Amino acid sequence: MFFDFPISKSFFVESIVPKLKESLLQTLKHFMRLSGIIVHPLDSSRPYSRFVVGDSVSLTIAECMKDFNHLTGNHPRVADELYACVPNLPPATHSTDAVVFPVLAVQVTLFPDHGICLGFSNHHAIGDSSSIVPFMKAWASVNKFGIEAPLVILEKIYATRDLWYSSRFLVPLKCVPYTYNEVIEGVGIGWKCCV
């Protein structure tokens, strides 16, 4: 998602990034499955979604010198030009008894004096656009209005927390129970630059 928002790098780093990070942290408290992982046991039992305090989401802050107007213009372009604005999911990790998959990565890319791009990558076993778009709307709401943002949309999305069906694979993911008000320990941050 591109936003025409001409700001300097210093304003972005000092004002925008801390607010985005805090609002992401507050929003993820309502979307804990996006903060967790998918565990696929090697004994061929069903995969399940798990969140424990300390799990985190990869947040990349990037700067891009590509032509913002070209990328956002209403004309044909090579799709590969947009990949610099999309984060990669961290790789799966393997243990003796399971394969563990991260479920969400977020990237905020600054185009100095032109705009910002928010990019998302998610594991489709945990959610598709019908669950990621409401997360993005909730994050925008919390970022705009603060912690007291009207998150009524969440009640419609997560009427049950026992099973969450991925509409893409139609596989029920067993979710490990959690306390709804647990505090997420943090959001991992990395920096990168595209040219």
Side-chain angles (χ1 to χ4, degrees):
M1 296 185 323
F2 287 89
F3 300 92
D4 188 9
F5 189 55
I7 56 171
S8 68
K9 181 178 179 178
S10 60
F11 182 78
F12 175 72
V13 170
E14 294 167 11
S15 299
I16 303 298
V17 170
K19 188 173 179 183
L20 285 172
K21 182 181 174 186
E22 180 60 27
S23 60
L24 177 60
L25 182 67
Q26 296 303 322
T27 306
L28 285 170
K29 290 180 182 180
H30 299 278
F31 292 83
M32 288 193 189
R33 287 177 188 85
L34 293 178
S35 302
I37 57 175
I38 295 173
V39 179
H40 191 278
L42 296 177
D43 66 3
S44 69
S45 60
R46 289 184 174 211
Y48 60 92
S49 171
R50 186 201 75 197
F51 170 81
V52 296
V53 174
D55 284 350
S56 64
V57 167
S58 171
L59 172 62
T60 302
I61 306 300
E63 180 178 5
C64 192
M65 296 302 173
K66 292 185 177 186
D67 184 348
F68 183 82
N69 294 323
H70 170 71
L71 293 176
T72 60
N74 186 18
H75 57 83
R77 73 191 61 73
V78 178
D80 291 355
E81 295 179 61
L82 301 170
Y83 289 144
C85 300
V86 181
N88 291 319
L89 276 173
T93 56
H94 301 266
S95 67
T96 57
D97 59 343
V99 180
V100 176
F101 300 92
V103 297
L104 180 66
V106 179
Q107 179 172 322
V108 182
T109 305
L110 170 68
F111 292 81
D113 301 318
H114 293 286
I116 294 174
C117 177
L118 297 179
F120 300 85
S121 291
N122 67 284
H123 195 293
H124 282 255
I126 201 73
D128 57 11
S129 61
S130 65
S131 54
I132 297 302
V133 169
F135 162 73
M136 293 166 30
K137 288 180 179 180
W139 184 20
S141 179
V142 172
N143 191 61
K144 183 174 183 177
F145 300 110
I147 298 171
E148 292 79 29
L151 295 175
V152 177
I153 192 170
L154 298 177
E155 295 172 9
K156 296 177 183 176
I157 300 168
Y158 302 109
T160 177
R161 295 193 316 239
D162 295 332
L163 288 177
W164 190 18
Y165 288 87
S166 166
S167 61
R168 178 166 182 194
F169 296 112
L170 298 176
V171 175
L173 296 173
K174 181 182 123 191
C175 296
V176 177
Y178 58 87
T179 305
Y180 187 69
N181 291 323
E182 282 182 317
V183 176
I184 297 169
E185 288 296 312
V187 177
I189 285 197
W191 288 86
K192 79 176 190 179
C193 185
C194 72
V195 285

PDB file of all heavy atoms in Angstrom, residues 46-69:
ATOM      1  N   ARG A  46      -1.482 -32.979  12.735  1.00  0.00           N
ATOM      2  CA  ARG A  46      -1.861 -31.722  12.098  1.00  0.00           C
ATOM      3  C   ARG A  46      -1.015 -30.552  12.588  1.00  0.00           C
ATOM      4  O   ARG A  46      -0.668 -30.475  13.754  1.00  0.00           O
ATOM      5  CB  ARG A  46      -3.322 -31.416  12.391  1.00  0.00           C
ATOM      6  CG  ARG A  46      -4.246 -32.322  11.670  1.00  0.00           C
ATOM      7  CD  ARG A  46      -5.656 -31.901  11.920  1.00  0.00           C
ATOM      8  NE  ARG A  46      -6.517 -32.708  11.090  1.00  0.00           N
ATOM      9  CZ  ARG A  46      -7.655 -32.308  10.600  1.00  0.00           C
ATOM     10  NH1 ARG A  46      -8.106 -31.121  10.889  1.00  0.00           N
ATOM     11  NH2 ARG A  46      -8.364 -33.093   9.845  1.00  0.00           N
ATOM     12  N   PRO A  47      -0.765 -29.604  11.697  1.00  0.00           N
ATOM     13  CA  PRO A  47      -0.074 -28.390  12.135  1.00  0.00           C
ATOM     14  C   PRO A  47      -0.987 -27.580  13.042  1.00  0.00           C
ATOM     15  O   PRO A  47      -2.210 -27.708  12.986  1.00  0.00           O
ATOM     16  CB  PRO A  47       0.200 -27.641  10.829  1.00  0.00           C
ATOM     17  CG  PRO A  47      -0.750 -28.202   9.844  1.00  0.00           C
ATOM     18  CD  PRO A  47      -1.085 -29.588  10.280  1.00  0.00           C
ATOM     19  N   TYR A  48      -0.387 -26.758  13.881  1.00  0.00           N
ATOM     20  CA  TYR A  48      -1.181 -25.899  14.749  1.00  0.00           C
ATOM     21  C   TYR A  48      -0.521 -24.538  14.884  1.00  0.00           C
ATOM     22  O   TYR A  48       0.672 -24.373  14.666  1.00  0.00           O
ATOM     23  CB  TYR A  48      -1.410 -26.543  16.118  1.00  0.00           C
ATOM     24  CG  TYR A  48      -0.153 -26.856  16.901  1.00  0.00           C
ATOM     25  CD1 TYR A  48       0.389 -25.943  17.797  1.00  0.00           C
ATOM     26  CD2 TYR A  48       0.486 -28.088  16.745  1.00  0.00           C
ATOM     27  CE1 TYR A  48       1.537 -26.238  18.512  1.00  0.00           C
ATOM     28  CE2 TYR A  48       1.635 -28.387  17.461  1.00  0.00           C
ATOM     29  CZ  TYR A  48       2.148 -27.455  18.347  1.00  0.00           C
ATOM     30  OH  TYR A  48       3.292 -27.744  19.061  1.00  0.00           O
ATOM     31  N   SER A  49      -1.354 -23.571  15.211  1.00  0.00           N
ATOM     32  CA  SER A  49      -0.902 -22.210  15.425  1.00  0.00           C
ATOM     33  C   SER A  49      -0.584 -22.057  16.901  1.00  0.00           C
ATOM     34  O   SER A  49      -1.360 -22.500  17.753  1.00  0.00           O
ATOM     35  CB  SER A  49      -2.022 -21.242  15.026  1.00  0.00           C
ATOM     36  OG  SER A  49      -1.711 -19.933  15.413  1.00  0.00           O
ATOM     37  N   ARG A  50       0.563 -21.412  17.203  1.00  0.00           N
ATOM     38  CA  ARG A  50       0.938 -21.243  18.603  1.00  0.00           C
ATOM     39  C   ARG A  50       1.453 -19.836  18.827  1.00  0.00           C
ATOM     40  O   ARG A  50       2.212 -19.301  18.026  1.00  0.00           O
ATOM     41  CB  ARG A  50       2.033 -22.230  18.983  1.00  0.00           C
ATOM     42  CG  ARG A  50       2.355 -22.197  20.482  1.00  0.00           C
ATOM     43  CD  ARG A  50       3.703 -22.751  20.785  1.00  0.00           C
ATOM     44  NE  ARG A  50       4.707 -21.765  20.398  1.00  0.00           N
ATOM     45  CZ  ARG A  50       5.990 -22.044  20.236  1.00  0.00           C
ATOM     46  NH1 ARG A  50       6.437 -23.264  20.384  1.00  0.00           N
ATOM     47  NH2 ARG A  50       6.845 -21.098  19.893  1.00  0.00           N
ATOM     48  N   PHE A  51       1.004 -19.236  19.904  1.00  0.00           N
ATOM     49  CA  PHE A  51       1.550 -17.964  20.348  1.00  0.00           C
ATOM     50  C   PHE A  51       1.982 -18.103  21.790  1.00  0.00           C
ATOM     51  O   PHE A  51       1.228 -18.605  22.617  1.00  0.00           O
ATOM     52  CB  PHE A  51       0.513 -16.837  20.251  1.00  0.00           C
ATOM     53  CG  PHE A  51       0.993 -15.590  20.931  1.00  0.00           C
ATOM     54  CD1 PHE A  51       1.865 -14.734  20.293  1.00  0.00           C
ATOM     55  CD2 PHE A  51       0.626 -15.306  22.243  1.00  0.00           C
ATOM     56  CE1 PHE A  51       2.345 -13.616  20.917  1.00  0.00           C
ATOM     57  CE2 PHE A  51       1.101 -14.186  22.884  1.00  0.00           C
ATOM     58  CZ  PHE A  51       1.957 -13.334  22.223  1.00  0.00           C
ATOM     59  N   VAL A  52       3.192 -17.689  22.077  1.00  0.00           N
ATOM     60  CA  VAL A  52       3.664 -17.605  23.456  1.00  0.00           C
ATOM     61  C   VAL A  52       4.316 -16.232  23.617  1.00  0.00           C
ATOM     62  O   VAL A  52       4.805 -15.641  22.660  1.00  0.00           O
ATOM     63  CB  VAL A  52       4.676 -18.727  23.825  1.00  0.00           C
ATOM     64  CG1 VAL A  52       4.019 -20.093  23.765  1.00  0.00           C
ATOM     65  CG2 VAL A  52       5.889 -18.691  22.933  1.00  0.00           C
ATOM     66  N   VAL A  53       4.277 -15.726  24.835  1.00  0.00           N
ATOM     67  CA  VAL A  53       4.899 -14.447  25.101  1.00  0.00           C
ATOM     68  C   VAL A  53       6.367 -14.517  24.681  1.00  0.00           C
ATOM     69  O   VAL A  53       7.066 -15.474  25.003  1.00  0.00           O
ATOM     70  CB  VAL A  53       4.758 -14.071  26.591  1.00  0.00           C
ATOM     71  CG1 VAL A  53       5.529 -12.797  26.893  1.00  0.00           C
ATOM     72  CG2 VAL A  53       3.287 -13.892  26.946  1.00  0.00           C
ATOM     73  N   GLY A  54       6.791 -13.549  23.936  1.00  0.00           N
ATOM     74  CA  GLY A  54       8.155 -13.539  23.410  1.00  0.00           C
ATOM     75  C   GLY A  54       8.192 -13.756  21.910  1.00  0.00           C
ATOM     76  O   GLY A  54       9.172 -13.403  21.262  1.00  0.00           O
ATOM     77  N   ASP A  55       7.125 -14.347  21.333  1.00  0.00           N
ATOM     78  CA  ASP A  55       7.054 -14.456  19.875  1.00  0.00           C
ATOM     79  C   ASP A  55       6.989 -13.047  19.300  1.00  0.00           C
ATOM     80  O   ASP A  55       6.521 -12.111  19.957  1.00  0.00           O
ATOM     81  CB  ASP A  55       5.818 -15.249  19.449  1.00  0.00           C
ATOM     82  CG  ASP A  55       5.974 -16.738  19.664  1.00  0.00           C
ATOM     83  OD1 ASP A  55       7.095 -17.182  19.968  1.00  0.00           O
ATOM     84  OD2 ASP A  55       4.970 -17.462  19.530  1.00  0.00           O
ATOM     85  N   SER A  56       7.441 -12.883  18.085  1.00  0.00           N
ATOM     86  CA  SER A  56       7.448 -11.542  17.510  1.00  0.00           C
ATOM     87  C   SER A  56       7.183 -11.590  16.010  1.00  0.00           C
ATOM     88  O   SER A  56       7.191 -12.647  15.398  1.00  0.00           O
ATOM     89  CB  SER A  56       8.788 -10.859  17.781  1.00  0.00           C
ATOM     90  OG  SER A  56       9.834 -11.555  17.137  1.00  0.00           O
ATOM     91  N   VAL A  57       6.941 -10.420  15.475  1.00  0.00           N
ATOM     92  CA  VAL A  57       6.726 -10.238  14.045  1.00  0.00           C
ATOM     93  C   VAL A  57       7.934  -9.490  13.502  1.00  0.00           C
ATOM     94  O   VAL A  57       8.434  -8.563  14.137  1.00  0.00           O
ATOM     95  CB  VAL A  57       5.439  -9.418  13.810  1.00  0.00           C
ATOM     96  CG1 VAL A  57       5.345  -8.940  12.382  1.00  0.00           C
ATOM     97  CG2 VAL A  57       4.213 -10.239  14.179  1.00  0.00           C
ATOM     98  N   SER A  58       8.385  -9.893  12.341  1.00  0.00           N
ATOM     99  CA  SER A  58       9.499  -9.212  11.698  1.00  0.00           C
ATOM    100  C   SER A  58       9.002  -7.893  11.107  1.00  0.00           C
ATOM    101  O   SER A  58       8.090  -7.876  10.282  1.00  0.00           O
ATOM    102  CB  SER A  58      10.073 -10.097  10.586  1.00  0.00           C
ATOM    103  OG  SER A  58      11.007  -9.388   9.825  1.00  0.00           O
ATOM    104  N   LEU A  59       9.576  -6.778  11.563  1.00  0.00           N
ATOM    105  CA  LEU A  59       9.262  -5.459  11.035  1.00  0.00           C
ATOM    106  C   LEU A  59      10.536  -4.885  10.441  1.00  0.00           C
ATOM    107  O   LEU A  59      11.528  -4.704  11.145  1.00  0.00           O
ATOM    108  CB  LEU A  59       8.737  -4.531  12.141  1.00  0.00           C
ATOM    109  CG  LEU A  59       8.557  -3.062  11.766  1.00  0.00           C
ATOM    110  CD1 LEU A  59       7.534  -2.904  10.653  1.00  0.00           C
ATOM    111  CD2 LEU A  59       8.149  -2.258  12.991  1.00  0.00           C
ATOM    112  N   THR A  60      10.500  -4.635   9.139  1.00  0.00           N
ATOM    113  CA  THR A  60      11.649  -4.068   8.449  1.00  0.00           C
ATOM    114  C   THR A  60      11.348  -2.617   8.113  1.00  0.00           C
ATOM    115  O   THR A  60      10.284  -2.312   7.579  1.00  0.00           O
ATOM    116  CB  THR A  60      11.949  -4.846   7.153  1.00  0.00           C
ATOM    117  OG1 THR A  60      12.184  -6.212   7.479  1.00  0.00           O
ATOM    118  CG2 THR A  60      13.160  -4.273   6.429  1.00  0.00           C
ATOM    119  N   ILE A  61      12.278  -1.746   8.453  1.00  0.00           N
ATOM    120  CA  ILE A  61      12.184  -0.335   8.089  1.00  0.00           C
ATOM    121  C   ILE A  61      13.176  -0.125   6.948  1.00  0.00           C
ATOM    122  O   ILE A  61      14.352  -0.433   7.092  1.00  0.00           O
ATOM    123  CB  ILE A  61      12.541   0.581   9.275  1.00  0.00           C
ATOM    124  CG1 ILE A  61      11.701   0.238  10.515  1.00  0.00           C
ATOM    125  CG2 ILE A  61      12.405   2.047   8.880  1.00  0.00           C
ATOM    126  CD1 ILE A  61      10.205   0.374  10.326  1.00  0.00           C
ATOM    127  N   ALA A  62      12.682   0.353   5.821  1.00  0.00           N
ATOM    128  CA  ALA A  62      13.528   0.460   4.636  1.00  0.00           C
ATOM    129  C   ALA A  62      13.458   1.866   4.052  1.00  0.00           C
ATOM    130  O   ALA A  62      12.511   2.613   4.307  1.00  0.00           O
ATOM    131  CB  ALA A  62      13.094  -0.558   3.588  1.00  0.00           C
ATOM    132  N   GLU A  63      14.458   2.176   3.259  1.00  0.00           N
ATOM    133  CA  GLU A  63      14.491   3.424   2.511  1.00  0.00           C
ATOM    134  C   GLU A  63      14.704   3.051   1.053  1.00  0.00           C
ATOM    135  O   GLU A  63      15.543   2.196   0.751  1.00  0.00           O
ATOM    136  CB  GLU A  63      15.623   4.307   3.017  1.00  0.00           C
ATOM    137  CG  GLU A  63      15.720   5.618   2.273  1.00  0.00           C
ATOM    138  CD  GLU A  63      16.833   6.515   2.820  1.00  0.00           C
ATOM    139  OE1 GLU A  63      17.587   6.072   3.717  1.00  0.00           O
ATOM    140  OE2 GLU A  63      16.948   7.648   2.342  1.00  0.00           O
ATOM    141  N   CYS A  64      13.951   3.675   0.174  1.00  0.00           N
ATOM    142  CA  CYS A  64      14.049   3.334  -1.246  1.00  0.00           C
ATOM    143  C   CYS A  64      14.212   4.601  -2.074  1.00  0.00           C
ATOM    144  O   CYS A  64      13.516   5.587  -1.852  1.00  0.00           O
ATOM    145  CB  CYS A  64      12.798   2.579  -1.680  1.00  0.00           C
ATOM    146  SG  CYS A  64      12.945   1.813  -3.303  1.00  0.00           S
ATOM    147  N   MET A  65      15.134   4.562  -3.014  1.00  0.00           N
ATOM    148  CA  MET A  65      15.394   5.712  -3.871  1.00  0.00           C
ATOM    149  C   MET A  65      14.770   5.539  -5.260  1.00  0.00           C
ATOM    150  O   MET A  65      15.024   6.344  -6.148  1.00  0.00           O
ATOM    151  CB  MET A  65      16.902   5.941  -3.998  1.00  0.00           C
ATOM    152  CG  MET A  65      17.557   6.290  -2.697  1.00  0.00           C
ATOM    153  SD  MET A  65      16.785   7.773  -2.003  1.00  0.00           S
ATOM    154  CE  MET A  65      17.583   7.830  -0.428  1.00  0.00           C
ATOM    155  N   LYS A  66      13.963   4.495  -5.434  1.00  0.00           N
ATOM    156  CA  LYS A  66      13.297   4.315  -6.720  1.00  0.00           C
ATOM    157  C   LYS A  66      12.283   5.441  -6.930  1.00  0.00           C
ATOM    158  O   LYS A  66      11.896   6.135  -6.002  1.00  0.00           O
ATOM    159  CB  LYS A  66      12.604   2.950  -6.771  1.00  0.00           C
ATOM    160  CG  LYS A  66      13.582   1.802  -6.797  1.00  0.00           C
ATOM    161  CD  LYS A  66      12.880   0.483  -6.970  1.00  0.00           C
ATOM    162  CE  LYS A  66      13.909  -0.629  -7.059  1.00  0.00           C
ATOM    163  NZ  LYS A  66      13.315  -1.914  -7.368  1.00  0.00           N
ATOM    164  N   ASP A  67      11.825   5.578  -8.162  1.00  0.00           N
ATOM    165  CA  ASP A  67      10.890   6.644  -8.526  1.00  0.00           C
ATOM    166  C   ASP A  67       9.495   6.324  -7.972  1.00  0.00           C
ATOM    167  O   ASP A  67       8.793   5.455  -8.492  1.00  0.00           O
ATOM    168  CB  ASP A  67      10.863   6.788 -10.046  1.00  0.00           C
ATOM    169  CG  ASP A  67       9.995   7.939 -10.520  1.00  0.00           C
ATOM    170  OD1 ASP A  67       9.218   8.510  -9.719  1.00  0.00           O
ATOM    171  OD2 ASP A  67      10.081   8.272 -11.719  1.00  0.00           O
ATOM    172  N   PHE A  68       9.106   7.027  -6.909  1.00  0.00           N
ATOM    173  CA  PHE A  68       7.815   6.812  -6.253  1.00  0.00           C
ATOM    174  C   PHE A  68       6.661   7.010  -7.231  1.00  0.00           C
ATOM    175  O   PHE A  68       5.722   6.211  -7.259  1.00  0.00           O
ATOM    176  CB  PHE A  68       7.684   7.778  -5.060  1.00  0.00           C
ATOM    177  CG  PHE A  68       6.429   7.609  -4.267  1.00  0.00           C
ATOM    178  CD1 PHE A  68       6.341   6.614  -3.293  1.00  0.00           C
ATOM    179  CD2 PHE A  68       5.338   8.441  -4.454  1.00  0.00           C
ATOM    180  CE1 PHE A  68       5.183   6.451  -2.539  1.00  0.00           C
ATOM    181  CE2 PHE A  68       4.177   8.282  -3.707  1.00  0.00           C
ATOM    182  CZ  PHE A  68       4.104   7.289  -2.744  1.00  0.00           C
ATOM    183  N   ASN A  69       6.729   8.058  -8.030  1.00  0.00           N
ATOM    184  CA  ASN A  69       5.644   8.340  -8.979  1.00  0.00           C
ATOM    185  C   ASN A  69       5.521   7.250 -10.039  1.00  0.00           C
ATOM    186  O   ASN A  69       4.417   6.928 -10.479  1.00  0.00           O
ATOM    187  CB  ASN A  69       5.847   9.709  -9.625  1.00  0.00           C
ATOM    188  CG  ASN A  69       5.713  10.821  -8.605  1.00  0.00           C
ATOM    189  OD1 ASN A  69       4.900  10.757  -7.699  1.00  0.00           O
ATOM    190  ND2 ASN A  69       6.549  11.842  -8.735  1.00  0.00           N
TER     191      ASN A  69
END
